[in-house]
């Protein structure tokens, strides 16, 4: 609106009325409150009654419309991926891929394609928390000139199952147990592990799910994968297999399990807030798009089936070719209209991209349209602005609920000859530029008898699970084993943990033994593998710790201050953190701040009790000796330091802060340093060597 001025008055009941200013009441561009029919509202505080204390009247259409709309504001939440965060951005191509695909967005280096990305947890409802141990959805909608392309994946490159017919069972098992509606947003319960222990094909994914990949530090610091094998098709019709990878610019970072648990109490919206604030402050999240490209000859030569969604191709075997980047530079204007209503569908592809015969992918192509119709209530959900293509849409589909288009003329069918009679005959198919499916291969059993069967290589459920295990560093292996112990300790069905241990013996004997010891169980006999596992070389690319980037960019440092804090020392450390690309967040016992050594009051960004150290990537104590002695008597301050130490973060402090460090049980190591330059360098990483000193792991 051009004019938003208003006057305030108090009603007879003490209610506040904000009204269009008197000089604006006759202006068309004034911010008049209206009904959905555009009728101006005179009083938005009181219903229409028969007398001051009489009944409310049915003729009050303002009340009726307002309550009616409110009663219907919610739509069914997604069955999975219900809790999500999204943002607008663009994809920029680094090099032309015209030699391998005719997809228009991959033709010209430097060209940018608008997009919308949504990240999500899988198991929890829309009202659950951001930081449970869970797979994260990673979906991108490209608004190309040839139509929308949805690359719908996860932050893990493999999946639990090989065939979509098992998807309802997977989700039913991992969701809240149906008789009691708990636990929410977690797999540590009977039904999931009962099902998983009976499904050996889940083993590889379980290794990933029990790793630190499922407790990411930030949505900005996790990888994304298309999971399935797709095809790229050139203008000449040549088909190349492809797997899609998103590589975060900030590198991969995770939390530790105790930290993830405490984050659920500290900030239910930790990931959502982190993403929003990064974009709002101009620290735009960025990922590089990488491709693993291979041909049929390579696929045929592998000891696993590239159409099996429980398998990956190691990056050391086929390096990931970086071809472009995604930058998220704009937060949604309205969460519901955009993030909640965005409808992804793997079947949305453009000419130059095609499917493979992956049976899990094939089922997803069928399922998603039903899902969107159920959630959004209409077959016209593609007309909602966040879902609408940014290219011309012309066809003969008509009518339906919430039809927003107004087609003209009689042409709602084809073929027709209306154009020969002077009327608009509508659009027509194009065999040259239109989408055409790549041909299959009869020699690979892509044609033949109708069978309910799986390919022979699909029966190997343990080789790649073993590959993942041996590719992890010792601290990561300890986390995986400990995660299995934690999850299985929550299972009340006595037969389930031994059955899971029997499967794990096919992955690695040491892993199975460590989990059994943690549970206090005797190792059962190894389960019979449907296909004998084979040895694979370790893949360092699968390790988070081996690939972490030691940088402070995009990360947050909590700086504890109190009355008497040295003003020069504080100024220097804040400047050093910001110069390194980090964000300095001042924490004080009082939100009003602290009186520094120069007599000035420095306002805090957060109060100590409400800003626990798990919100930060590193902490610094800039305290006078008197303040440190006083804070050592306060539980919140001691816990603040104790948690940072226990979560393996760098701690910077001066000698004056030593009383608080001592009370928190902080022992010297490489991550306990002084302030300014030494601290900034230390804060760029975590200190995994400290972990055995602060907690017992399997």
């Amino acid at each position: 609106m051009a004019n938003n001025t208003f006057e305030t008055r108090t009603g007879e009941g003490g209610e506040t009325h904000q009204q269009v200013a008197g000089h604006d009441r006759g202006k068309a561009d004034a911010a008049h409150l209206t009904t959905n029919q555009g009728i101006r509202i005179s009083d938005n505080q009181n219903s229409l009654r028969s007398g001051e204390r009489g009944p409310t009247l049915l003729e009050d259409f303002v009340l009726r419309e307002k309550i009616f709309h409110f009663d219907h504001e919610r739509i069914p939440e997604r069955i999975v991926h219900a809790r999500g965060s999204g943002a607008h951005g663009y994809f920029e191509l680094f090099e032309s891929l015209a030699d391998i695909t005719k997809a228009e967005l991959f033709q010209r280096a430097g060209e940018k394609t608008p997009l919308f990305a949504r990240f999500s947890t899988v198991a929890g409802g829309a009202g659950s928390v951001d930081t449970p141990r869970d797979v994260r959805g990673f979906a991108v909608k490209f608004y190309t000139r040839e139509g929308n392309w949805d690359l719908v994946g996860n932050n893990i490159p493999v999946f639990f199952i090989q065939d979509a017919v098992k998807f309802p069972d997977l989700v039913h098992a991992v969701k809240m147990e149906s008789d009691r509606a708990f636990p929410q947003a977690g797999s540590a319960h009977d039904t999931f592990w009962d099902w998983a222990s009976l499904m050996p094909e889940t083993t590889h994914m379980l290794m990933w799910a029990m790793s630190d990949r499922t407790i990411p530090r930030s949505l900005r610091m996790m990888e994304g994968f298309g999971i399935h094998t797709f095809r790229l098709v050139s203008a000449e019709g040549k088909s190349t297999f492809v797997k899609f990878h998103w590589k975060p610019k900030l590198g991969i970072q995770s939390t530790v399990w105790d930290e993830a648990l405490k984050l659920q109490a500290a900030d239910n919206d930790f990931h959502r807030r982190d993403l929003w604030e990064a974009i709002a402050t101009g620290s735009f999240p960025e990922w590089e798009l990488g491709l693993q490209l291979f041909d049929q000859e390579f696929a045929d030569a592998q000891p696993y089936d590239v159409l099996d969604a429980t398998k990956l191709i190691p990056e050391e075997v086929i390096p990931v070719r970086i071809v472009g980047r995604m930058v998220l530079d704009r937060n949604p204007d309205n969460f519901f209209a955009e993030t909640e209503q965005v409808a992804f569908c793997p079947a949305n592809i453009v000419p130059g991209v095609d499917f493979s015969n992956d049976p899990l992918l094939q089922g997803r192509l069928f399922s998603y349209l039903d899902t969107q119709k159920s959630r959004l209530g209409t077959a016209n959900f593609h007309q909602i602005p966040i879902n609408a293509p940014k290219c011309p849409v012309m066809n003969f589909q008509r009518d339906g609920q919430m039809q927003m288009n107004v087609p003209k003329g009689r042409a709602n069918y084809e073929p027709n000859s209306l154009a020969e009679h002077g009327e608009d005959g509508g659009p027509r198919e194009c065999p040259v530029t239109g989408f055409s499916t790549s041909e299959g291969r009869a020699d690979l059993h892509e044609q033949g008898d109708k069978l309910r069967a799986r390919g022979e290589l699909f029966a190997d459920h343990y080789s790649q699970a073993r590959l993942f295990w041996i590719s992890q560093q010792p601290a990561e292996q300890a986390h995986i084993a400990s995660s299995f112990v934690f999850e299985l300790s929550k299972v009340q069905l006595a037969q389930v943990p031994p059955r899971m241990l029997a499967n794990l013996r096919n992955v690695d004997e040491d892993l199975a033994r460590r989990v059994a010891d943690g549970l206090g169980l005797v190792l059962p006999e190894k389960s019979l593998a449907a296909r004998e596992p084979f040895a694979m070389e370790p893949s360092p690319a699968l390790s988070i710790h081996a690939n972490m980037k030691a940088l402070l960019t995009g990360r947050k440092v909590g700086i504890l201050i109190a009355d008497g804090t040295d003003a020069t020392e504080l100024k220097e450390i804040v400047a050093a953190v910001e110069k390194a690309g980090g964000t300095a967040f001042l924490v004080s016992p009082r939100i009003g701040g602290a009186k520094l050594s120069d007599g000035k009051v420095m306002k805090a960004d957060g109060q100590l009790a409400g800003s626990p150290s798990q919100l930060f990537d590193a902490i610094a104590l800039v305290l006078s000796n008197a303040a440190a002695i006083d804070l050592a008597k306060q539980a919140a301050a001691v816990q603040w330091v104790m948690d940072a130490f226990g979560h393996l973060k760098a701690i910077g402090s001066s000698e004056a802060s030593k009383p608080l460090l001592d009370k928190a049980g902080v022992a010297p190591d490489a991550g306990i340093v002084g302030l300014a330059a030494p601290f900034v360098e230390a804060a760029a990483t975590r200190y995994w060597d400290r972990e055995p000193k602060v907690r017992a792991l399997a």
Side-chain angles (χ1 to χ4, degrees):
M1 294 296 178
N3 195 324
N4 283 322
T5 59
F6 59 85
E7 299 170 348
T8 300
R9 74 171 184 85
T10 301
E12 295 179 358
E15 74 278 12
T16 299
H17 291 263
Q18 293 181 336
Q19 302 173 336
V20 174
H23 55 79
D24 289 331
R25 288 171 184 166
K27 296 181 180 179
D29 65 347
H32 285 89
L33 183 66
T34 74
T35 68
N36 286 332
Q37 305 302 320
I39 301 164
R40 294 180 181 179
I41 295 172
S42 60
D43 186 339
N44 194 41
Q45 306 302 319
N46 299 293
S47 303
L48 186 64
R49 300 182 180 88
S50 177
E52 289 184 358
R53 302 185 70 246
T56 300
L57 301 180
L58 286 176
E59 70 179 74
D60 188 353
F61 62 88
V62 175
L63 168 67
R64 166 71 173 136
E65 181 194 88
K66 189 174 181 181
I67 295 296
F68 166 80
H69 194 279
F70 173 78
D71 288 344
H72 298 277
E73 281 180 357
R74 298 278 72 81
I75 63 175
E77 68 176 38
R78 292 167 170 87
I79 296 175
V80 286
H81 299 278
R83 182 173 181 82
S85 305
H88 296 271
Y90 62 86
F91 171 72
E92 181 180 10
L93 185 67
F94 291 162
E95 58 174 306
S96 173
L97 302 179
D99 58 326
I100 56 174
T101 177
K102 61 183 177 182
E104 198 272 341
L105 80 161
F106 290 134
Q107 299 305 298
R108 293 166 291 279
E111 188 159 310
K112 295 180 179 179
T113 301
L115 57 79
F116 186 84
R118 185 177 185 271
F119 312 98
S120 55
T121 55
V122 175
S128 58
V129 298
D130 275 354
T131 53
R133 178 178 295 281
D134 198 0
V135 183
R136 297 309 192 277
F138 196 120
V140 181
K141 184 182 291 290
F142 298 85
Y143 302 102
T144 86
R145 293 196 183 99
E146 296 179 303
N148 289 354
W149 174 33
D150 292 350
L151 184 53
V152 192
N154 287 330
N155 73 324
I156 290 175
V158 294
F159 202 62
F160 291 99
I161 53 176
Q162 298 172 325
D163 192 306
V165 74
K166 297 306 300 174
F167 192 75
D169 299 300
L170 162 63
V171 176
H172 287 169
V174 77
K175 280 281 194 176
M176 300 177 292
E177 298 193 0
S178 55
D179 61 344
R180 62 205 67 185
F182 65 81
Q184 170 75 277
S187 59
H189 57 96
D190 282 358
T191 58
F192 175 74
W193 286 100
D194 180 38
W195 178 82
S197 66
L198 292 166
M199 293 288 294
E201 69 194 66
T202 64
T203 306
H204 188 195
M205 181 66 170
L206 289 174
M207 298 297 293
W208 286 80
M210 295 300 102
S211 79
D212 294 343
R213 296 275 181 156
T214 49
I215 47 173
R217 157 62 181 86
S218 165
L219 301 175
R220 301 175 291 127
M221 300 171 190
M222 66 182 191
E223 290 184 313
F225 304 90
I227 302 173
H228 308 287
T229 296
F230 291 86
R231 295 178 183 267
L232 293 179
V233 183
S234 70
E236 295 74 31
K238 180 184 177 183
S239 173
T240 304
F241 285 125
V242 61
K243 284 184 172 287
F244 295 103
H245 297 245
W246 292 107
K247 301 284 189 181
K249 181 181 179 181
L250 297 177
I252 314 170
Q253 288 284 334
S254 66
T255 58
V256 294
W257 177 234
D258 181 70
E259 181 183 11
L261 291 174
K262 290 178 177 177
L263 277 168
Q264 294 178 27
D267 186 356
N268 289 344
D269 307 301
F270 181 68
H271 285 156
R272 182 173 290 176
R273 191 186 314 278
D274 175 85
L275 180 66
W276 180 279
E277 290 180 350
I279 295 173
T281 57
S283 299
F284 300 141
E286 184 175 326
W287 289 261
E288 291 180 323
L289 178 63
L291 312 178
Q292 281 184 306
L293 300 165
F294 56 100
D295 57 17
Q296 190 67 57
E297 182 180 3
F298 172 87
D300 293 344
Q302 300 315 300
Y304 50 86
D305 198 317
V306 299
L307 301 183
D308 181 352
T310 69
K311 306 297 192 296
L312 55 79
I313 300 175
E315 294 184 28
E316 291 77 13
V317 176
I318 295 185
V320 175
R321 175 180 170 184
I322 301 301
V323 300
R325 66 172 183 152
M326 172 173 67
V327 179
L328 300 182
D329 61 359
R330 181 164 67 87
N331 281 314
D333 293 317
N334 182 273
F335 181 89
F336 177 84
E338 297 172 285
T339 306
E340 187 62 20
Q341 288 197 128
V342 66
F344 294 96
C345 181
N348 293 343
I349 56 174
V350 293
V353 180
D354 205 352
F355 313 118
S356 72
N357 290 343
D358 176 340
L360 180 61
L361 172 60
Q362 292 289 319
R364 295 180 71 202
L365 303 180
F366 175 84
S367 170
Y368 279 60
L369 277 178
D370 285 343
T371 297
Q372 307 307 348
K373 167 62 175 66
S374 176
R375 290 189 60 248
L376 300 171
T378 171
N380 292 313
F381 68 83
H382 57 278
Q383 295 180 11
I384 297 172
I386 192 64
N387 296 319
K390 300 184 185 300
C391 64
V393 175
M394 296 172 283
N395 55 47
F396 297 100
Q397 296 173 23
R398 297 290 185 269
D399 308 337
Q401 288 182 324
M402 304 304 294
Q403 176 59 251
M404 297 294 130
N405 295 331
V406 185
K408 297 179 180 179
R410 293 192 290 175
N412 63 352
Y413 62 95
E414 73 90 26
N416 68 62
S417 63
L418 296 176
E420 298 174 17
H421 300 82
E423 299 183 40
D424 183 358
R428 294 295 187 271
E429 65 188 38
C430 178
V432 176
T433 61
F435 181 86
S436 56
T437 300
S438 57
E439 296 182 1
R441 290 181 59 193
D443 64 315
L444 287 185
H445 310 291
E446 295 181 6
Q447 301 170 19
D449 296 336
K450 295 179 180 179
L451 303 169
R452 290 190 182 273
R454 302 189 192 185
E456 178 183 354
L457 296 181
F458 276 57
D460 176 11
H461 304 310
Y462 300 116
S463 297
Q464 292 213 352
R466 181 183 297 168
L467 164 69
F468 185 77
W469 172 256
I470 64 175
S471 300
Q472 306 303 299
Q473 296 195 349
E476 294 172 293
Q477 291 183 336
H479 292 173
I480 292 170
S482 298
S483 298
F484 273 110
V485 171
F486 173 84
E487 297 262 328
L488 292 171
S489 71
K490 301 294 183 180
V491 174
Q492 301 299 310
L493 301 174
Q495 295 178 341
V496 172
R499 194 161 60 224
M500 196 65 232
L501 288 169
N503 289 345
L504 290 179
R505 290 192 67 179
N506 286 301
V507 178
D508 186 87
E509 288 288 353
D510 182 55
L511 167 62
R513 178 190 55 75
R514 291 162 73 169
V515 176
D517 288 348
L519 294 170
L521 297 176
V522 176
L523 265 181
E525 185 177 344
K526 181 188 296 186
S527 62
L528 180 64
R531 186 179 178 87
E532 191 63 27
F534 63 92
M536 300 181 71
E537 290 296 318
S539 172
L542 301 181
S543 165
I544 295 178
H545 293 185
N547 295 284
M548 281 184 174
K549 294 183 178 180
L551 51 90
L552 206 55
T553 303
R555 299 174 192 172
K556 188 178 289 187
V557 175
I559 302 175
L560 183 60
I561 62 173
D563 289 346
T565 286
D566 187 287
T568 301
E569 211 167 40
L570 177 62
K571 182 179 179 180
E572 288 177 351
I573 193 168
V574 169
V577 168
E578 293 178 346
K579 183 179 179 181
T583 299
F585 189 99
L586 302 185
V587 178
S588 171
R590 298 183 299 276
I591 190 63
K595 189 174 184 180
L596 305 185
S597 60
D598 61 1
K600 296 179 180 178
V601 174
M602 176 63 71
K603 190 178 185 305
D605 299 305
Q607 192 259 345
L608 178 60
S611 304
S613 61
Q614 49 264 35
L615 299 177
F616 311 113
D617 295 285
I619 66 166
L621 313 180
V622 187
L623 303 170
S624 68
N625 188 251
I629 292 172
D630 179 63
L631 288 172
K633 303 172 186 175
Q634 299 187 32
V638 175
Q639 192 69 46
W640 201 80
V641 178
M642 187 183 300
D643 279 344
F645 185 69
H647 298 155
L648 318 180
K649 298 172 183 178
I651 300 177
S653 69
S654 61
E655 184 63 27
S657 302
K658 193 172 185 301
L660 181 54
L661 291 178
D662 291 343
K663 186 62 179 289
V666 174
D669 63 27
I672 311 303
V673 296
L675 298 175
F679 171 70
V680 169
E681 182 178 353
T685 189
R686 292 215 192 196
Y687 294 86
W688 305 106
D689 291 343
R690 181 191 302 163
E691 192 159 25
K693 304 173 186 176
V694 297
R695 65 177 57 87
L697 295 170

